[in-house]
């Protein structure tokens, strides 16, 4: 079974319209380079993105998947990404 984030995003936006404007401005990136999910700044595109592991997300329940998406969106809402300075490269 392949995982389609768009189905969960559509369900979430129907139930939680607060996240609609935020979701439209975030690139969603499927990757197996991370174990779960994360949000961050893509420095090349200078745009925030939601990264998610489709294998991990596909093993969660509908409620859990939407919870993960909300959790990651709240990192952006509460500026956890923009308020923290990146580690300095030595």
């Amino acid at each position: 079974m392949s995982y389609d984030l768009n189905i969960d995003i559509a369900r979430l936006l129907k139930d939680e319209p607060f996240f609609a404007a935020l979701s439209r401005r975030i690139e969603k990136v499927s990757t197996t380079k991370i174990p779960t999910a994360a949000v961050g700044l893509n420095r090349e595109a200078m745009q925030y993105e939601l990264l998610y592991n489709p294998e991990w997300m596909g093993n969660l329940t509908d409620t859990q998947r939407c919870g993960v998406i909300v959790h990651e969106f709240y990192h952006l809402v509460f500026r956890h990404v923009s308020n923290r300075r990146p580690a300095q490269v030595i």
Side-chain angles (χ1 to χ4, degrees):
M1 176 181 108
S2 64
Y3 173 68
D4 185 356
L5 179 75
N6 292 321
I7 293 169
D8 288 327
I9 293 287
R11 183 181 306 120
L12 173 66
L13 298 184
K14 185 181 93 169
D15 296 338
E16 299 283 347
F18 168 79
F19 296 107
L22 181 63
S23 179
R24 283 193 300 271
R25 291 174 173 79
I26 298 173
E27 187 72 26
K28 285 85 170 175
V29 179
S30 174
T31 181
T32 56
K33 293 181 180 180
I34 61 171
T36 57
V39 289
L41 178 66
N42 178 323
R43 291 176 190 244
E44 290 179 18
M46 291 307 293
Q47 180 177 350
Y48 290 112
E49 58 188 12
L50 167 68
L51 299 114
Y52 65 95
N53 184 316
E55 295 168 6
W56 181 75
M57 291 286 280
N59 287 320
L60 301 176
T61 66
D62 292 351
T63 301
Q64 290 171 326
R65 288 192 306 268
C66 285
V68 168
I69 296 166
V70 167
H71 173 92
E72 296 304 330
F73 282 176
Y74 272 131
H75 281 300
L76 297 172
V77 169
F78 293 120
R79 300 176 58 197
H80 294 165
V81 176
S82 61
N83 275 354
R84 296 187 178 147
R85 292 176 14 169
Q88 290 182 331
V89 177
I90 297 176

